[in-house]
Amino acid sequence: MNGPGDPPEGTPEGPQGGGDEEYRSVVFDESFVRAARLQEFSARERMDDHAPAVRTRHAWARVSASRQVLLLVMLIALAFGTAVYMGLRHPYKEPRPPTAEALRTAIVPLAPRDPVPGATAVKDLFDSSPAAQFRDGAEGVTLPAARRTQNFSESLVMAALATAKEYTVKSALDPAVLTGGGHRTVRLLLAPSQLAQFDRSLSRPADDGRYAATGWLIRFDPAQVALADRTVRTQGTFSITEASPAALEVSSDHTFVYAVRAAKGPEEASLFTVRRTMRFRFDRDDLQEHHVQVLQSYLLAGPQSCSADDAGYLRPLLAGQKASTAGPNGTDPYAPGPTTSDLCGALSPSSQPTLRR
């Protein structure tokens, strides 16, 4: 029987010892190798129990470096666009204020007690009147300092004031508007919700507090009145308040002095004065789109007759003319139809030019 250290077929023949003796314990002879048990796994066993010999590459690894960069840029752009869209359309956006109110107007004619003074030289008229210290045209339409409010930045406040000034200049100082035309420049500034009322006021003016063309702009009937001088003397102020977290309101108070004469006939000129106070509103969309909502318009205008129909045009009394003796029409509380309230004031003599004879 073989010993525990001998190979299966016994101790090999040959000399013992020698230089190989010390390596004998670690050298496998031929008989040991033949006796070793060899086991080869089947194809199924290799598939089920062992990792595949070839590793599958990830899909991203098969994409070239240039395509990887392109895809990364597209993903970044998509993420940025989504962030911008959500910022503009986020569900917490401040609600839009209600649709613009209808304009409410009031026009009060001022009747003089004496004939209207006139002169051939327009400068003499201005220099002898309270308008002597007024500025010319748009120079008299000055803006206050713009300061931020609780919910509106300084730039938005300035935008509201600038738009109110632009409306004032175009509606009260533009010679094309004053002579009965050119109202498109005023119309372009209005909020879209007020355009229907504006168009109705110019096509079918009515002295009902809603549809007076002269509530929107100052104009004279070109068949009756002409400008003796294109320069208008002006003085006035603006003030601004935050009406709500969604809207600003601008109030204006201006006095305009016009030199007018008859469209046909004598060249002698006279002065016509309009004191106009207005209230404008701006929401954030109006400020972005350069629009204005005109809420109130109140005019004191003279010299005029109390009976003048000034809904479509202001009708100045010209040099040498006197006011009609007819006073305001009476109001019958029993009469059907819409009610009207006729107002008229007396033009102070101190407001008229004091020409030296």
Side-chain angles (χ1 to χ4, degrees):
M1 184 173 181
N2 298 326
D6 297 328
E9 297 181 359
T11 303
E13 298 178 359
Q16 303 293 323
D20 294 334
E21 184 64 25
E22 59 180 310
Y23 299 105
R24 182 177 179 181
S25 62
V26 297
V27 176
F28 302 115
D29 59 14
E30 184 179 354
S31 62
F32 186 89
V33 172
R34 287 198 304 269
R37 181 175 179 271
L38 300 177
Q39 179 180 3
E40 182 179 359
F41 293 102
S42 67
R44 173 62 61 184
E45 289 173 330
R46 289 197 299 270
M47 293 177 63
D48 295 342
D49 300 332
H50 298 275
V54 179
R55 184 175 59 188
T56 302
R57 297 178 66 191
H58 194 275
W60 179 259
R62 294 197 298 268
V63 181
S64 65
S66 60
R67 291 187 177 182
Q68 291 181 17
V69 173
L70 179 61
L71 289 174
L72 183 60
V73 171
M74 292 176 63
L75 288 173
I76 293 175
L78 180 62
F80 180 76
T82 302
V84 172
Y85 176 81
M86 293 302 293
L88 295 175
R89 306 290 297 178
H90 63 85
Y92 303 105
K93 186 177 180 180
E94 187 175 284
R96 179 183 173 91
T99 304
E101 302 174 14
L103 170 64
R104 292 172 289 173
T105 65
I107 304 169
V108 180
L110 301 177
R113 297 190 179 98
D114 302 315
V116 176
T120 304
V122 173
K123 186 177 183 303
D124 292 342
L125 288 171
F126 281 127
D127 290 346
S128 61
S129 73
Q133 304 303 318
F134 288 10
R135 295 183 179 181
D136 292 344
E139 294 181 1
V141 186
T142 58
L143 295 177
R147 295 182 177 85
R148 66 167 295 117
T149 65
Q150 183 175 356
N151 295 285
F152 289 86
S153 66
E154 180 179 327
S155 62
L156 291 178
V157 171
M158 191 65 217
L161 289 169
T163 306
K165 175 178 178 177
E166 183 178 358
Y167 184 93
T168 300
V169 170
K170 290 183 175 180
S171 65
L173 301 178
D174 185 353
V177 173
L178 297 176
T179 53
H183 62 268
R184 186 174 182 272
T185 57
V186 178
R187 189 180 190 274
L188 290 175
L189 290 174
L190 294 174
S193 56
Q194 289 193 312
L195 294 179
Q197 185 187 8
F198 178 81
D199 293 340
R200 160 72 189 277
S201 299
L202 269 67
S203 62
R204 290 176 290 165
D207 188 13
D208 58 0
R210 290 173 57 89
Y211 295 107
T214 46
W216 300 94
L217 44 82
I218 295 175
R219 65 177 188 168
F220 307 109
D221 185 352
Q224 304 293 328
V225 178
L227 294 177
D229 193 327
R230 295 170 65 90
T231 300
V232 181
R233 296 292 180 93
T234 310
Q235 180 172 280
T237 60
F238 290 98
S239 61
I240 188 165
T241 59
E242 183 177 302
S244 72
L248 291 170
E249 286 193 358
V250 175
S251 298
S252 68
D253 185 352
H254 290 87
T255 301
F256 308 100
V257 185
Y258 306 90
V260 295
R261 60 175 177 82
K264 298 177 182 179
E267 294 293 325
E268 196 173 31
S270 60
L271 298 185
F272 184 76
T273 305
V274 176
R275 168 84 176 273
R276 185 173 76 167
T277 60
M278 304 191 79
R279 185 162 64 92
F280 308 98
R281 178 177 294 167
F282 301 87
D283 61 35
R284 295 184 185 275
D285 289 341
D286 294 327
L287 295 172
Q288 181 178 1
E289 297 167 7
H290 197 59
H291 286 155
V292 59
Q293 304 172 34
V294 187
L295 303 185
Q296 291 182 346
S297 176
Y298 180 77
L299 274 72
L300 297 172
Q304 288 191 108
S305 292
C306 291
S307 58
D309 180 8
D310 50 14
Y313 298 98
L314 296 176
R315 303 185 184 278
L317 290 172
L318 302 177
Q321 294 180 344
K322 297 180 62 175
S324 171
T325 56
N329 296 326
T331 301
D332 183 1
Y334 298 96
T339 60
T340 59
S341 178
D342 294 326
L343 299 175
C344 187
L347 185 63
S348 171
S350 62
S351 65
Q352 294 283 71
T354 54
L355 297 170
R356 295 180 180 179
R357 298 294 184 184

